[in-house]
Short mmCIF file of all heavy atoms in Angstrom, two decimals:
data_model
loop_
_atom_site.label_atom_id
_atom_site.label_comp_id
_atom_site.label_asym_id
_atom_site.label_seq_id
_atom_site.Cartn_x
_atom_site.Cartn_y
_atom_site.Cartn_z
N GLU A 271 -10.82 22.49 10.32
CA GLU A 271 -11.37 21.42 11.14
C GLU A 271 -12.25 20.48 10.32
O GLU A 271 -12.21 19.26 10.50
CB GLU A 271 -12.18 22.02 12.29
CG GLU A 271 -12.70 20.98 13.28
CD GLU A 271 -13.42 21.61 14.45
OE1 GLU A 271 -13.36 22.85 14.61
OE2 GLU A 271 -14.06 20.85 15.22
N GLN A 272 -13.03 21.05 9.42
CA GLN A 272 -13.87 20.22 8.56
C GLN A 272 -13.02 19.31 7.68
O GLN A 272 -13.32 18.12 7.53
CB GLN A 272 -14.76 21.09 7.68
CG GLN A 272 -15.65 20.28 6.73
CD GLN A 272 -16.34 21.15 5.69
OE1 GLN A 272 -16.11 22.35 5.60
NE2 GLN A 272 -17.20 20.54 4.88
N LEU A 273 -11.95 19.85 7.10
CA LEU A 273 -11.07 19.03 6.25
C LEU A 273 -10.34 17.98 7.07
O LEU A 273 -10.12 16.85 6.60
CB LEU A 273 -10.08 19.93 5.53
CG LEU A 273 -10.50 20.48 4.16
CD1 LEU A 273 -10.66 19.34 3.16
CD2 LEU A 273 -11.78 21.28 4.23
N ALA A 274 -9.94 18.33 8.29
CA ALA A 274 -9.25 17.36 9.15
C ALA A 274 -10.19 16.21 9.50
O ALA A 274 -9.79 15.04 9.48
CB ALA A 274 -8.76 18.05 10.42
N ASP A 275 -11.45 16.52 9.81
CA ASP A 275 -12.42 15.47 10.11
C ASP A 275 -12.64 14.57 8.89
O ASP A 275 -12.75 13.34 9.02
CB ASP A 275 -13.76 16.08 10.53
CG ASP A 275 -13.67 16.77 11.90
OD1 ASP A 275 -12.72 16.47 12.64
OD2 ASP A 275 -14.55 17.60 12.20
N LEU A 276 -12.70 15.18 7.70
CA LEU A 276 -12.89 14.40 6.49
C LEU A 276 -11.70 13.47 6.24
O LEU A 276 -11.87 12.30 5.88
CB LEU A 276 -13.08 15.34 5.30
CG LEU A 276 -13.34 14.69 3.94
CD1 LEU A 276 -14.64 13.89 3.98
CD2 LEU A 276 -13.41 15.76 2.84
N ALA A 277 -10.49 13.98 6.45
CA ALA A 277 -9.29 13.15 6.26
C ALA A 277 -9.25 12.01 7.27
O ALA A 277 -8.91 10.87 6.92
CB ALA A 277 -8.04 14.03 6.39
N GLU A 278 -9.60 12.29 8.52
CA GLU A 278 -9.64 11.24 9.54
C GLU A 278 -10.65 10.16 9.17
O GLU A 278 -10.39 8.97 9.31
CB GLU A 278 -10.01 11.86 10.89
CG GLU A 278 -8.89 12.68 11.54
CD GLU A 278 -7.84 11.80 12.20
OE1 GLU A 278 -7.92 10.57 12.07
OE2 GLU A 278 -6.92 12.37 12.82
N SER A 279 -11.82 10.59 8.68
CA SER A 279 -12.86 9.62 8.30
C SER A 279 -12.39 8.76 7.13
O SER A 279 -12.66 7.55 7.09
CB SER A 279 -14.14 10.37 7.93
OG SER A 279 -14.64 11.10 9.04
N ALA A 280 -11.70 9.37 6.18
CA ALA A 280 -11.20 8.61 5.03
C ALA A 280 -10.17 7.57 5.47
O ALA A 280 -10.20 6.42 5.01
CB ALA A 280 -10.60 9.56 4.00
N LEU A 281 -9.25 7.96 6.34
CA LEU A 281 -8.25 7.01 6.83
C LEU A 281 -8.91 5.87 7.60
O LEU A 281 -8.55 4.69 7.44
CB LEU A 281 -7.24 7.73 7.73
CG LEU A 281 -6.27 8.70 7.04
CD1 LEU A 281 -5.36 9.35 8.07
CD2 LEU A 281 -5.43 7.98 5.99
N ALA A 282 -9.89 6.22 8.44
CA ALA A 282 -10.57 5.19 9.22
C ALA A 282 -11.34 4.22 8.32
O ALA A 282 -11.37 3.01 8.56
CB ALA A 282 -11.53 5.84 10.22
N ALA A 283 -11.95 4.74 7.26
CA ALA A 283 -12.72 3.90 6.35
C ALA A 283 -11.85 2.90 5.61
O ALA A 283 -12.30 1.81 5.25
CB ALA A 283 -13.48 4.77 5.35
N LEU A 284 -10.59 3.26 5.37
CA LEU A 284 -9.70 2.39 4.61
C LEU A 284 -8.93 1.41 5.49
O LEU A 284 -8.21 0.55 4.97
CB LEU A 284 -8.72 3.23 3.79
CG LEU A 284 -9.34 4.16 2.74
CD1 LEU A 284 -8.25 4.96 2.03
CD2 LEU A 284 -10.16 3.37 1.73
N GLN A 285 -9.06 1.55 6.79
CA GLN A 285 -8.30 0.67 7.70
C GLN A 285 -8.85 -0.74 7.73
O GLN A 285 -8.09 -1.70 7.90
CB GLN A 285 -8.28 1.27 9.11
CG GLN A 285 -7.33 2.44 9.27
CD GLN A 285 -7.34 3.00 10.68
OE1 GLN A 285 -8.18 2.63 11.50
NE2 GLN A 285 -6.42 3.90 10.96
N ALA A 286 -10.16 -0.89 7.59
CA ALA A 286 -10.75 -2.23 7.62
C ALA A 286 -10.28 -3.03 6.41
O ALA A 286 -10.16 -2.50 5.30
CB ALA A 286 -12.28 -2.13 7.61
N PRO A 287 -9.98 -4.33 6.59
CA PRO A 287 -9.49 -5.15 5.47
C PRO A 287 -10.51 -5.22 4.34
O PRO A 287 -11.71 -5.09 4.53
CB PRO A 287 -9.26 -6.52 6.11
CG PRO A 287 -9.12 -6.24 7.57
CD PRO A 287 -10.01 -5.07 7.86
N PHE A 288 -10.01 -5.46 3.13
CA PHE A 288 -10.84 -5.61 1.95
C PHE A 288 -10.90 -7.09 1.58
O PHE A 288 -9.86 -7.75 1.49
CB PHE A 288 -10.28 -4.81 0.77
CG PHE A 288 -10.32 -3.32 0.95
CD1 PHE A 288 -9.33 -2.66 1.66
CD2 PHE A 288 -11.35 -2.58 0.41
CE1 PHE A 288 -9.35 -1.29 1.83
CE2 PHE A 288 -11.39 -1.19 0.56
CZ PHE A 288 -10.40 -0.55 1.28
N ASP A 289 -12.10 -7.61 1.35
CA ASP A 289 -12.28 -9.00 0.91
C ASP A 289 -12.59 -8.97 -0.58
O ASP A 289 -13.67 -8.56 -1.01
CB ASP A 289 -13.41 -9.67 1.68
CG ASP A 289 -13.06 -9.87 3.16
OD1 ASP A 289 -11.91 -10.29 3.42
OD2 ASP A 289 -13.90 -9.58 4.02
N LEU A 290 -11.65 -9.45 -1.38
CA LEU A 290 -11.79 -9.39 -2.83
C LEU A 290 -11.58 -10.77 -3.43
O LEU A 290 -10.44 -11.25 -3.52
CB LEU A 290 -10.78 -8.41 -3.43
CG LEU A 290 -10.83 -6.98 -2.90
CD1 LEU A 290 -9.65 -6.19 -3.45
CD2 LEU A 290 -12.13 -6.32 -3.29
N ALA A 291 -12.66 -11.42 -3.77
CA ALA A 291 -12.60 -12.73 -4.45
C ALA A 291 -11.67 -13.69 -3.72
O ALA A 291 -10.78 -14.30 -4.32
CB ALA A 291 -12.17 -12.55 -5.90
N GLY A 292 -11.86 -13.81 -2.44
CA GLY A 292 -11.04 -14.73 -1.65
C GLY A 292 -9.74 -14.15 -1.16
O GLY A 292 -9.02 -14.80 -0.40
N GLN A 293 -9.43 -12.95 -1.58
CA GLN A 293 -8.21 -12.28 -1.14
C GLN A 293 -8.57 -11.27 -0.05
O GLN A 293 -9.44 -10.43 -0.25
CB GLN A 293 -7.53 -11.56 -2.31
CG GLN A 293 -7.05 -12.46 -3.42
CD GLN A 293 -5.78 -13.21 -3.04
OE1 GLN A 293 -5.12 -12.89 -2.06
NE2 GLN A 293 -5.43 -14.22 -3.82
N ARG A 294 -7.91 -11.36 1.07
CA ARG A 294 -8.13 -10.42 2.17
C ARG A 294 -6.94 -9.46 2.21
O ARG A 294 -5.82 -9.87 2.51
CB ARG A 294 -8.28 -11.16 3.49
CG ARG A 294 -8.72 -10.27 4.65
CD ARG A 294 -9.01 -11.11 5.88
NE ARG A 294 -9.38 -10.32 7.03
CZ ARG A 294 -10.61 -9.87 7.28
NH1 ARG A 294 -11.58 -10.17 6.41
NH2 ARG A 294 -10.87 -9.16 8.35
N LEU A 295 -7.19 -8.22 1.88
CA LEU A 295 -6.11 -7.24 1.74
C LEU A 295 -6.29 -6.11 2.74
O LEU A 295 -7.40 -5.66 3.01
CB LEU A 295 -6.09 -6.67 0.32
CG LEU A 295 -5.96 -7.67 -0.82
CD1 LEU A 295 -6.06 -6.95 -2.15
CD2 LEU A 295 -4.63 -8.41 -0.72
N SER A 296 -5.17 -5.65 3.25
CA SER A 296 -5.16 -4.47 4.12
C SER A 296 -4.24 -3.43 3.50
O SER A 296 -3.20 -3.77 2.93
CB SER A 296 -4.64 -4.84 5.53
OG SER A 296 -5.52 -5.74 6.16
N LEU A 297 -4.66 -2.20 3.59
CA LEU A 297 -3.82 -1.12 3.09
C LEU A 297 -4.08 0.14 3.90
O LEU A 297 -4.99 0.21 4.71
CB LEU A 297 -4.07 -0.87 1.60
CG LEU A 297 -5.49 -0.54 1.10
CD1 LEU A 297 -5.88 0.89 1.37
CD2 LEU A 297 -5.56 -0.77 -0.40
N SER A 298 -3.24 1.10 3.67
CA SER A 298 -3.39 2.41 4.33
C SER A 298 -3.25 3.48 3.26
O SER A 298 -3.00 3.19 2.09
CB SER A 298 -2.33 2.59 5.42
OG SER A 298 -1.02 2.55 4.86
N ALA A 299 -3.42 4.71 3.68
CA ALA A 299 -3.33 5.82 2.73
C ALA A 299 -2.64 7.00 3.39
O ALA A 299 -2.62 7.13 4.62
CB ALA A 299 -4.72 6.22 2.24
N SER A 300 -2.07 7.84 2.57
CA SER A 300 -1.50 9.12 3.02
C SER A 300 -2.31 10.23 2.36
O SER A 300 -2.69 10.12 1.19
CB SER A 300 -0.03 9.22 2.62
OG SER A 300 0.72 8.17 3.18
N ILE A 301 -2.57 11.29 3.13
CA ILE A 301 -3.45 12.36 2.63
C ILE A 301 -2.79 13.71 2.87
O ILE A 301 -2.33 14.01 3.97
CB ILE A 301 -4.82 12.32 3.33
CG1 ILE A 301 -5.48 10.95 3.17
CG2 ILE A 301 -5.74 13.41 2.78
CD1 ILE A 301 -6.80 10.83 3.89
N GLY A 302 -2.76 14.50 1.82
CA GLY A 302 -2.36 15.90 1.94
C GLY A 302 -3.61 16.77 2.00
O GLY A 302 -4.50 16.64 1.16
N VAL A 303 -3.69 17.64 3.00
CA VAL A 303 -4.89 18.44 3.23
C VAL A 303 -4.56 19.92 3.02
O VAL A 303 -3.60 20.44 3.60
CB VAL A 303 -5.44 18.23 4.66
CG1 VAL A 303 -6.66 19.10 4.90
CG2 VAL A 303 -5.78 16.76 4.87
N VAL A 304 -5.36 20.58 2.19
CA VAL A 304 -5.20 22.02 1.93
C VAL A 304 -6.56 22.69 2.12
O VAL A 304 -7.57 22.19 1.63
CB VAL A 304 -4.68 22.30 0.51
CG1 VAL A 304 -4.45 23.79 0.31
CG2 VAL A 304 -3.40 21.52 0.24
N GLU A 305 -6.59 23.81 2.86
CA GLU A 305 -7.82 24.56 3.05
C GLU A 305 -7.47 26.03 3.05
O GLU A 305 -6.55 26.45 3.76
CB GLU A 305 -8.48 24.16 4.37
CG GLU A 305 -9.96 24.48 4.47
CD GLU A 305 -10.26 25.93 4.78
OE1 GLU A 305 -9.37 26.59 5.35
OE2 GLU A 305 -11.36 26.41 4.47
N ARG A 306 -8.17 26.82 2.25
CA ARG A 306 -7.81 28.23 2.13
C ARG A 306 -8.96 29.01 1.51
O ARG A 306 -9.97 28.44 1.07
CB ARG A 306 -6.56 28.39 1.26
CG ARG A 306 -6.72 27.83 -0.14
CD ARG A 306 -5.47 27.99 -0.98
NE ARG A 306 -4.27 27.44 -0.37
CZ ARG A 306 -3.11 27.32 -0.99
NH1 ARG A 306 -3.02 27.66 -2.27
NH2 ARG A 306 -2.06 26.83 -0.37
N HIS A 307 -8.79 30.36 1.46
CA HIS A 307 -9.75 31.22 0.79
C HIS A 307 -9.73 30.94 -0.71
O HIS A 307 -8.66 30.74 -1.30
CB HIS A 307 -9.41 32.70 1.03
CG HIS A 307 -9.75 33.17 2.42
ND1 HIS A 307 -11.04 33.38 2.83
CD2 HIS A 307 -8.96 33.48 3.47
CE1 HIS A 307 -11.03 33.80 4.09
NE2 HIS A 307 -9.78 33.85 4.50
N ALA A 308 -10.89 30.93 -1.32
CA ALA A 308 -10.96 30.70 -2.76
C ALA A 308 -10.41 31.90 -3.54
O ALA A 308 -9.82 31.73 -4.60
CB ALA A 308 -12.40 30.41 -3.18
N ALA A 309 -10.61 33.09 -3.00
CA ALA A 309 -10.13 34.30 -3.68
C ALA A 309 -8.60 34.26 -3.77
O ALA A 309 -7.91 34.04 -2.78
CB ALA A 309 -10.57 35.54 -2.91
N GLY A 310 -8.09 34.47 -4.96
CA GLY A 310 -6.65 34.48 -5.17
C GLY A 310 -6.04 33.11 -5.35
O GLY A 310 -4.83 32.99 -5.57
N THR A 311 -6.85 32.06 -5.24
CA THR A 311 -6.35 30.69 -5.39
C THR A 311 -6.59 30.21 -6.82
O THR A 311 -7.66 30.45 -7.38
CB THR A 311 -7.04 29.74 -4.41
OG1 THR A 311 -6.74 30.15 -3.07
CG2 THR A 311 -6.57 28.31 -4.59
N THR A 312 -5.62 29.55 -7.39
CA THR A 312 -5.76 28.95 -8.71
C THR A 312 -5.78 27.43 -8.58
O THR A 312 -5.33 26.87 -7.57
CB THR A 312 -4.61 29.35 -9.63
OG1 THR A 312 -3.37 28.82 -9.09
CG2 THR A 312 -4.51 30.86 -9.75
N ALA A 313 -6.34 26.77 -9.59
CA ALA A 313 -6.38 25.31 -9.56
C ALA A 313 -4.97 24.73 -9.51
O ALA A 313 -4.70 23.78 -8.77
CB ALA A 313 -7.13 24.80 -10.79
N THR A 314 -4.07 25.33 -10.28
CA THR A 314 -2.68 24.85 -10.29
C THR A 314 -2.03 25.03 -8.93
O THR A 314 -1.36 24.13 -8.41
CB THR A 314 -1.87 25.59 -11.36
OG1 THR A 314 -2.47 25.38 -12.64
CG2 THR A 314 -0.43 25.11 -11.38
N GLY A 315 -2.22 26.21 -8.33
CA GLY A 315 -1.63 26.48 -7.02
C GLY A 315 -2.17 25.56 -5.94
O GLY A 315 -1.42 25.07 -5.08
#
Side-chain angles (χ1 to χ4, degrees):
E271 185 176 350
Q272 179 190 5
L273 270 295
D275 291 342
L276 182 62
E278 287 282 5
S279 299
L281 289 179
L284 298 179
Q285 284 180 351
F288 293 83
D289 292 316
L290 303 172
Q293 296 285 346
R294 189 173 177 84
L295 303 175
S296 295
L297 57 77
S298 62
S300 301
I301 304 177
V303 178
V304 183
E305 201 281 336
R306 59 180 54 171
H307 286 287
T311 298
T312 64
T314 301

